[in-house]
Amino acid sequence: MQAEGGLQGILVDQWRLWEIKTGIKVELSGMDWGEALRQMRAGEFDVIDTAFQTAERTEYLTFSKPYQKIEVPIFFDREIAGITDAKSLRGFPVGVKTGDADIDFLRMSGVETLLEFGSYESVLQAARDHKISVFVVDLPPALYYLHKFGLQGEFRHSAPLLVGEFHRCVAKGNNALLQVVEDGFARISPADYKAIEDKWYGAESFGQRSLRWLIPVAAG
């Protein structure tokens, strides 16, 4: 999340604690996900965080062990009925975030009209402004922005289309760096992780906690 004075959120606090545990300075950059992937592929960063593993990404990234499961449902206007799975989206313009792993999944399911936006916030802004009535994004940021924009009663969501996993990634084959990254996070205790999560978790909503860690992070 970009706030006055810089980046903030769970990921930022975790990386700052990683710095303390390893003694290695990290420069964090928050940006739209599609741009983060482009810059990572171009070699402009050493590490990218919160990446789902896909066949296309494995061509240029090496993935850490997964550390967080993320549900990805369909969100739809409450006046729409009959949306239950990807096939039921055929014929609807569907909002997605540029670079998201669910884009390939939707295309493989025959969903042809995808409207791409640079960030989760811009997807939800489009929903707020009635530019889209259906969108597919990760559950935690969707819940956060639905509440932020006062839309929690305007949209329903399906069961998860897919359940992805967050990974930290380095350039393909850079196993030495990946080991450094993973060793650093392994030094963070469960109590430390919990303290960070307790600081940033939002209120109960839709039966889930709304996570307030919404930035894709690339580290140099």
Side-chain angles (χ1 to χ4, degrees):
M1 182 184 300
Q2 187 76 46
E4 219 177 299
L7 298 172
Q8 62 179 9
I10 284 181
L11 289 179
V12 175
D13 286 359
Q14 288 179 349
W15 275 101
R16 293 310 177 206
L17 189 53
W18 185 94
E19 286 183 312
I20 294 170
K21 298 294 185 180
T22 63
I24 301 171
K25 179 66 178 175
V26 174
E27 180 182 341
L28 297 176
S29 299
M31 64 191 68
D32 289 349
W33 182 243
E35 180 62 14
L37 286 173
R38 186 197 69 76
Q39 291 193 33
M40 186 68 192
R41 188 164 194 168
E44 297 176 31
F45 290 102
D46 298 309
V47 182
I48 189 168
D49 207 337
T50 70
F52 284 14
Q53 187 165 356
T54 67
E56 187 267 338
R57 292 174 188 173
T58 57
E59 296 176 2
Y60 62 96
L61 295 174
T62 294
F63 289 75
S64 72
K65 297 175 183 177
Y67 66 87
Q68 177 76 43
K69 289 185 181 295
I70 300 291
E71 295 181 356
V72 186
I74 305 165
F75 290 85
F76 51 93
D77 188 286
R78 65 181 181 182
E79 295 184 359
I80 300 174
I83 293 182
T84 57
D85 54 20
K87 291 181 179 179
S88 66
L89 292 176
R90 293 174 183 173
F92 284 96
V94 180
V96 293
K97 186 180 74 168
T98 299
D100 257 3
D102 52 81
I103 291 176
D104 288 342
F105 179 86
L106 290 168
R107 285 177 175 156
M108 289 175 60
S109 300
V111 183
E112 298 178 353
T113 307
L114 300 178
L115 305 178
E116 296 189 27
F117 299 86
S119 65
Y120 289 129
E121 184 172 18
S122 59
V123 174
L124 271 293
Q125 285 172 335
R128 178 196 62 191
D129 298 339
H130 306 289
K131 295 178 180 178
I132 55 174
S133 55
V134 180
F135 56 94
V136 175
V137 301
D138 295 0
L139 182 62
L143 296 181
Y144 174 79
Y145 283 116
L146 284 171
H147 279 268
K148 180 177 180 178
F149 297 146
L151 300 174
Q152 63 269 31
E154 302 299 317
F155 286 85
R156 300 174 181 173
H157 67 78
S158 70
L161 284 183
L162 64 154
V163 178
E165 295 177 316
F166 278 167
H167 302 257
R168 303 176 183 98
C169 305
V170 300
K172 183 77 172 180
N174 195 347
N175 296 316
L177 175 58
L178 185 62
Q179 190 65 51
V180 171
V181 172
E182 293 210 276
D183 286 348
F185 281 107
R187 297 180 192 181
I188 301 175
S189 70
D192 286 335
Y193 278 118
K194 185 176 186 305
I196 292 172
E197 290 174 358
D198 287 347
K199 173 184 174 181
W200 287 104
Y201 270 128
E204 294 285 339
S205 53
F206 290 86
Q208 297 276 344
R209 286 189 294 181
S210 178
L211 291 179
R212 297 179 67 184
W213 43 309
L214 306 176
I215 54 165
V217 171

PDB file of all heavy atoms in Angstrom, residues 198-220:
ATOM      1  N   ASP A 198      -1.187  -9.270  13.146  1.00  0.00           N
ATOM      2  CA  ASP A 198      -2.135  -8.649  14.069  1.00  0.00           C
ATOM      3  C   ASP A 198      -2.171  -7.135  13.891  1.00  0.00           C
ATOM      4  O   ASP A 198      -3.216  -6.499  14.090  1.00  0.00           O
ATOM      5  CB  ASP A 198      -1.770  -8.991  15.514  1.00  0.00           C
ATOM      6  CG  ASP A 198      -2.081 -10.434  15.872  1.00  0.00           C
ATOM      7  OD1 ASP A 198      -2.803 -11.089  15.094  1.00  0.00           O
ATOM      8  OD2 ASP A 198      -1.591 -10.904  16.918  1.00  0.00           O
ATOM      9  N   LYS A 199      -1.046  -6.566  13.509  1.00  0.00           N
ATOM     10  CA  LYS A 199      -0.985  -5.123  13.286  1.00  0.00           C
ATOM     11  C   LYS A 199      -1.807  -4.713  12.075  1.00  0.00           C
ATOM     12  O   LYS A 199      -2.435  -3.645  12.066  1.00  0.00           O
ATOM     13  CB  LYS A 199       0.479  -4.708  13.104  1.00  0.00           C
ATOM     14  CG  LYS A 199       0.679  -3.249  12.692  1.00  0.00           C
ATOM     15  CD  LYS A 199       2.156  -2.965  12.455  1.00  0.00           C
ATOM     16  CE  LYS A 199       2.362  -1.554  11.903  1.00  0.00           C
ATOM     17  NZ  LYS A 199       3.797  -1.265  11.636  1.00  0.00           N
ATOM     18  N   TRP A 200      -1.836  -5.554  11.030  1.00  0.00           N
ATOM     19  CA  TRP A 200      -2.392  -5.115   9.753  1.00  0.00           C
ATOM     20  C   TRP A 200      -3.712  -5.753   9.352  1.00  0.00           C
ATOM     21  O   TRP A 200      -4.349  -5.289   8.409  1.00  0.00           O
ATOM     22  CB  TRP A 200      -1.374  -5.375   8.641  1.00  0.00           C
ATOM     23  CG  TRP A 200      -0.234  -4.410   8.725  1.00  0.00           C
ATOM     24  CD1 TRP A 200       1.029  -4.657   9.187  1.00  0.00           C
ATOM     25  CD2 TRP A 200      -0.254  -3.033   8.365  1.00  0.00           C
ATOM     26  NE1 TRP A 200       1.792  -3.525   9.128  1.00  0.00           N
ATOM     27  CE2 TRP A 200       1.029  -2.512   8.622  1.00  0.00           C
ATOM     28  CE3 TRP A 200      -1.231  -2.191   7.844  1.00  0.00           C
ATOM     29  CZ2 TRP A 200       1.350  -1.184   8.374  1.00  0.00           C
ATOM     30  CZ3 TRP A 200      -0.914  -0.873   7.597  1.00  0.00           C
ATOM     31  CH2 TRP A 200       0.374  -0.380   7.864  1.00  0.00           C
ATOM     32  N   TYR A 201      -4.128  -6.838  10.013  1.00  0.00           N
ATOM     33  CA  TYR A 201      -5.396  -7.450   9.609  1.00  0.00           C
ATOM     34  C   TYR A 201      -6.549  -6.478   9.812  1.00  0.00           C
ATOM     35  O   TYR A 201      -6.652  -5.823  10.833  1.00  0.00           O
ATOM     36  CB  TYR A 201      -5.679  -8.722  10.406  1.00  0.00           C
ATOM     37  CG  TYR A 201      -5.126  -9.975   9.766  1.00  0.00           C
ATOM     38  CD1 TYR A 201      -4.326 -10.842  10.492  1.00  0.00           C
ATOM     39  CD2 TYR A 201      -5.427 -10.290   8.451  1.00  0.00           C
ATOM     40  CE1 TYR A 201      -3.832 -12.002   9.927  1.00  0.00           C
ATOM     41  CE2 TYR A 201      -4.928 -11.444   7.876  1.00  0.00           C
ATOM     42  CZ  TYR A 201      -4.140 -12.300   8.607  1.00  0.00           C
ATOM     43  OH  TYR A 201      -3.649 -13.428   8.045  1.00  0.00           O
ATOM     44  N   GLY A 202      -7.465  -6.471   8.826  1.00  0.00           N
ATOM     45  CA  GLY A 202      -8.666  -5.654   8.968  1.00  0.00           C
ATOM     46  C   GLY A 202      -9.739  -6.400   9.715  1.00  0.00           C
ATOM     47  O   GLY A 202      -9.514  -7.463  10.299  1.00  0.00           O
ATOM     48  N   ALA A 203     -10.954  -5.838   9.676  1.00  0.00           N
ATOM     49  CA  ALA A 203     -12.083  -6.420  10.394  1.00  0.00           C
ATOM     50  C   ALA A 203     -12.645  -7.614   9.653  1.00  0.00           C
ATOM     51  O   ALA A 203     -12.373  -7.830   8.472  1.00  0.00           O
ATOM     52  CB  ALA A 203     -13.165  -5.362  10.586  1.00  0.00           C
ATOM     53  N   GLU A 204     -13.483  -8.389  10.363  1.00  0.00           N
ATOM     54  CA  GLU A 204     -14.178  -9.500   9.732  1.00  0.00           C
ATOM     55  C   GLU A 204     -15.123  -8.990   8.653  1.00  0.00           C
ATOM     56  O   GLU A 204     -15.845  -8.021   8.853  1.00  0.00           O
ATOM     57  CB  GLU A 204     -14.992 -10.277  10.766  1.00  0.00           C
ATOM     58  CG  GLU A 204     -14.151 -10.986  11.811  1.00  0.00           C
ATOM     59  CD  GLU A 204     -13.482 -12.229  11.277  1.00  0.00           C
ATOM     60  OE1 GLU A 204     -13.967 -12.749  10.261  1.00  0.00           O
ATOM     61  OE2 GLU A 204     -12.499 -12.672  11.867  1.00  0.00           O
ATOM     62  N   SER A 205     -15.084  -9.630   7.474  1.00  0.00           N
ATOM     63  CA  SER A 205     -16.014  -9.250   6.422  1.00  0.00           C
ATOM     64  C   SER A 205     -16.180 -10.403   5.466  1.00  0.00           C
ATOM     65  O   SER A 205     -15.228 -11.073   5.111  1.00  0.00           O
ATOM     66  CB  SER A 205     -15.497  -8.026   5.657  1.00  0.00           C
ATOM     67  OG  SER A 205     -14.185  -8.238   5.199  1.00  0.00           O
ATOM     68  N   PHE A 206     -17.395 -10.654   5.050  1.00  0.00           N
ATOM     69  CA  PHE A 206     -17.709 -11.760   4.145  1.00  0.00           C
ATOM     70  C   PHE A 206     -17.195 -13.092   4.691  1.00  0.00           C
ATOM     71  O   PHE A 206     -16.901 -14.007   3.942  1.00  0.00           O
ATOM     72  CB  PHE A 206     -17.094 -11.538   2.747  1.00  0.00           C
ATOM     73  CG  PHE A 206     -17.724 -10.439   1.964  1.00  0.00           C
ATOM     74  CD1 PHE A 206     -17.289  -9.143   2.130  1.00  0.00           C
ATOM     75  CD2 PHE A 206     -18.746 -10.696   1.063  1.00  0.00           C
ATOM     76  CE1 PHE A 206     -17.855  -8.113   1.397  1.00  0.00           C
ATOM     77  CE2 PHE A 206     -19.320  -9.679   0.341  1.00  0.00           C
ATOM     78  CZ  PHE A 206     -18.868  -8.381   0.509  1.00  0.00           C
ATOM     79  N   GLY A 207     -17.074 -13.186   6.022  1.00  0.00           N
ATOM     80  CA  GLY A 207     -16.586 -14.437   6.587  1.00  0.00           C
ATOM     81  C   GLY A 207     -15.094 -14.593   6.471  1.00  0.00           C
ATOM     82  O   GLY A 207     -14.542 -15.622   6.822  1.00  0.00           O
ATOM     83  N   GLN A 208     -14.399 -13.589   5.967  1.00  0.00           N
ATOM     84  CA  GLN A 208     -12.950 -13.643   5.817  1.00  0.00           C
ATOM     85  C   GLN A 208     -12.365 -12.397   6.445  1.00  0.00           C
ATOM     86  O   GLN A 208     -13.020 -11.373   6.559  1.00  0.00           O
ATOM     87  CB  GLN A 208     -12.561 -13.682   4.327  1.00  0.00           C
ATOM     88  CG  GLN A 208     -13.061 -14.902   3.580  1.00  0.00           C
ATOM     89  CD  GLN A 208     -12.146 -16.088   3.750  1.00  0.00           C
ATOM     90  OE1 GLN A 208     -11.013 -15.940   4.174  1.00  0.00           O
ATOM     91  NE2 GLN A 208     -12.641 -17.256   3.423  1.00  0.00           N
ATOM     92  N   ARG A 209     -11.094 -12.464   6.826  1.00  0.00           N
ATOM     93  CA  ARG A 209     -10.413 -11.252   7.256  1.00  0.00           C
ATOM     94  C   ARG A 209      -9.863 -10.544   6.026  1.00  0.00           C
ATOM     95  O   ARG A 209      -9.301 -11.165   5.141  1.00  0.00           O
ATOM     96  CB  ARG A 209      -9.274 -11.590   8.229  1.00  0.00           C
ATOM     97  CG  ARG A 209      -9.795 -11.981   9.596  1.00  0.00           C
ATOM     98  CD  ARG A 209      -8.693 -12.088  10.606  1.00  0.00           C
ATOM     99  NE  ARG A 209      -7.779 -13.186  10.293  1.00  0.00           N
ATOM    100  CZ  ARG A 209      -6.735 -13.492  11.050  1.00  0.00           C
ATOM    101  NH1 ARG A 209      -6.470 -12.797  12.133  1.00  0.00           N
ATOM    102  NH2 ARG A 209      -5.956 -14.502  10.730  1.00  0.00           N
ATOM    103  N   SER A 210     -10.044  -9.248   5.996  1.00  0.00           N
ATOM    104  CA  SER A 210      -9.604  -8.464   4.850  1.00  0.00           C
ATOM    105  C   SER A 210      -8.165  -8.024   5.045  1.00  0.00           C
ATOM    106  O   SER A 210      -7.868  -7.202   5.896  1.00  0.00           O
ATOM    107  CB  SER A 210     -10.496  -7.225   4.690  1.00  0.00           C
ATOM    108  OG  SER A 210     -10.054  -6.437   3.621  1.00  0.00           O
ATOM    109  N   LEU A 211      -7.258  -8.606   4.282  1.00  0.00           N
ATOM    110  CA  LEU A 211      -5.849  -8.308   4.450  1.00  0.00           C
ATOM    111  C   LEU A 211      -5.513  -6.953   3.862  1.00  0.00           C
ATOM    112  O   LEU A 211      -5.955  -6.615   2.778  1.00  0.00           O
ATOM    113  CB  LEU A 211      -5.001  -9.379   3.734  1.00  0.00           C
ATOM    114  CG  LEU A 211      -5.024 -10.773   4.353  1.00  0.00           C
ATOM    115  CD1 LEU A 211      -4.166 -11.693   3.502  1.00  0.00           C
ATOM    116  CD2 LEU A 211      -4.488 -10.744   5.761  1.00  0.00           C
ATOM    117  N   ARG A 212      -4.673  -6.212   4.573  1.00  0.00           N
ATOM    118  CA  ARG A 212      -4.316  -4.879   4.122  1.00  0.00           C
ATOM    119  C   ARG A 212      -2.882  -4.873   3.595  1.00  0.00           C
ATOM    120  O   ARG A 212      -2.113  -3.967   3.844  1.00  0.00           O
ATOM    121  CB  ARG A 212      -4.500  -3.878   5.264  1.00  0.00           C
ATOM    122  CG  ARG A 212      -5.946  -3.772   5.711  1.00  0.00           C
ATOM    123  CD  ARG A 212      -6.110  -2.811   6.855  1.00  0.00           C
ATOM    124  NE  ARG A 212      -5.816  -1.445   6.433  1.00  0.00           N
ATOM    125  CZ  ARG A 212      -5.804  -0.416   7.261  1.00  0.00           C
ATOM    126  NH1 ARG A 212      -6.005  -0.596   8.546  1.00  0.00           N
ATOM    127  NH2 ARG A 212      -5.540   0.800   6.816  1.00  0.00           N
ATOM    128  N   TRP A 213      -2.490  -5.942   2.884  1.00  0.00           N
ATOM    129  CA  TRP A 213      -1.173  -5.946   2.242  1.00  0.00           C
ATOM    130  C   TRP A 213      -1.425  -6.080   0.748  1.00  0.00           C
ATOM    131  O   TRP A 213      -1.638  -7.147   0.236  1.00  0.00           O
ATOM    132  CB  TRP A 213      -0.251  -7.024   2.767  1.00  0.00           C
ATOM    133  CG  TRP A 213      -0.806  -8.366   2.980  1.00  0.00           C
ATOM    134  CD1 TRP A 213      -1.924  -8.712   3.656  1.00  0.00           C
ATOM    135  CD2 TRP A 213      -0.236  -9.595   2.521  1.00  0.00           C
ATOM    136  NE1 TRP A 213      -2.098 -10.057   3.662  1.00  0.00           N
ATOM    137  CE2 TRP A 213      -1.085 -10.625   2.967  1.00  0.00           C
ATOM    138  CE3 TRP A 213       0.893  -9.935   1.796  1.00  0.00           C
ATOM    139  CZ2 TRP A 213      -0.825 -11.967   2.712  1.00  0.00           C
ATOM    140  CZ3 TRP A 213       1.152 -11.257   1.542  1.00  0.00           C
ATOM    141  CH2 TRP A 213       0.302 -12.261   1.997  1.00  0.00           C
ATOM    142  N   LEU A 214      -1.409  -4.937   0.067  1.00  0.00           N
ATOM    143  CA  LEU A 214      -1.932  -4.863  -1.271  1.00  0.00           C
ATOM    144  C   LEU A 214      -0.896  -4.471  -2.310  1.00  0.00           C
ATOM    145  O   LEU A 214      -1.229  -4.180  -3.432  1.00  0.00           O
ATOM    146  CB  LEU A 214      -3.092  -3.842  -1.308  1.00  0.00           C
ATOM    147  CG  LEU A 214      -4.180  -4.114  -0.277  1.00  0.00           C
ATOM    148  CD1 LEU A 214      -5.215  -3.007  -0.330  1.00  0.00           C
ATOM    149  CD2 LEU A 214      -4.831  -5.455  -0.509  1.00  0.00           C
ATOM    150  N   ILE A 215       0.366  -4.445  -1.927  1.00  0.00           N
ATOM    151  CA  ILE A 215       1.372  -4.001  -2.891  1.00  0.00           C
ATOM    152  C   ILE A 215       2.169  -5.198  -3.389  1.00  0.00           C
ATOM    153  O   ILE A 215       2.602  -6.035  -2.615  1.00  0.00           O
ATOM    154  CB  ILE A 215       2.341  -2.972  -2.274  1.00  0.00           C
ATOM    155  CG1 ILE A 215       2.982  -3.513  -0.976  1.00  0.00           C
ATOM    156  CG2 ILE A 215       1.652  -1.661  -1.996  1.00  0.00           C
ATOM    157  CD1 ILE A 215       4.169  -2.724  -0.525  1.00  0.00           C
ATOM    158  N   PRO A 216       2.329  -5.305  -4.718  1.00  0.00           N
ATOM    159  CA  PRO A 216       3.343  -6.216  -5.213  1.00  0.00           C
ATOM    160  C   PRO A 216       4.699  -5.590  -4.932  1.00  0.00           C
ATOM    161  O   PRO A 216       4.899  -4.413  -5.214  1.00  0.00           O
ATOM    162  CB  PRO A 216       3.075  -6.302  -6.713  1.00  0.00           C
ATOM    163  CG  PRO A 216       2.388  -5.030  -7.036  1.00  0.00           C
ATOM    164  CD  PRO A 216       1.629  -4.622  -5.795  1.00  0.00           C
ATOM    165  N   VAL A 217       5.607  -6.339  -4.362  1.00  0.00           N
ATOM    166  CA  VAL A 217       6.878  -5.767  -3.961  1.00  0.00           C
ATOM    167  C   VAL A 217       8.009  -6.373  -4.777  1.00  0.00           C
ATOM    168  O   VAL A 217       8.132  -7.592  -4.888  1.00  0.00           O
ATOM    169  CB  VAL A 217       7.147  -6.004  -2.458  1.00  0.00           C
ATOM    170  CG1 VAL A 217       8.563  -5.602  -2.093  1.00  0.00           C
ATOM    171  CG2 VAL A 217       6.164  -5.198  -1.621  1.00  0.00           C
ATOM    172  N   ALA A 218       8.802  -5.502  -5.360  1.00  0.00           N
ATOM    173  CA  ALA A 218      10.024  -5.947  -6.013  1.00  0.00           C
ATOM    174  C   ALA A 218      11.181  -5.411  -5.201  1.00  0.00           C
ATOM    175  O   ALA A 218      11.152  -4.286  -4.713  1.00  0.00           O
ATOM    176  CB  ALA A 218      10.095  -5.411  -7.438  1.00  0.00           C
ATOM    177  N   ALA A 219      12.168  -6.227  -4.983  1.00  0.00           N
ATOM    178  CA  ALA A 219      13.283  -5.843  -4.116  1.00  0.00           C
ATOM    179  C   ALA A 219      14.590  -5.853  -4.881  1.00  0.00           C
ATOM    180  O   ALA A 219      14.841  -6.748  -5.697  1.00  0.00           O
ATOM    181  CB  ALA A 219      13.372  -6.797  -2.933  1.00  0.00           C
ATOM    182  N   GLY A 220      15.409  -4.870  -4.597  1.00  0.00           N
ATOM    183  CA  GLY A 220      16.717  -4.784  -5.204  1.00  0.00           C
ATOM    184  C   GLY A 220      17.791  -4.959  -4.146  1.00  0.00           C
ATOM    185  O   GLY A 220      17.729  -4.298  -3.143  1.00  0.00           O
TER     186      GLY A 220
END
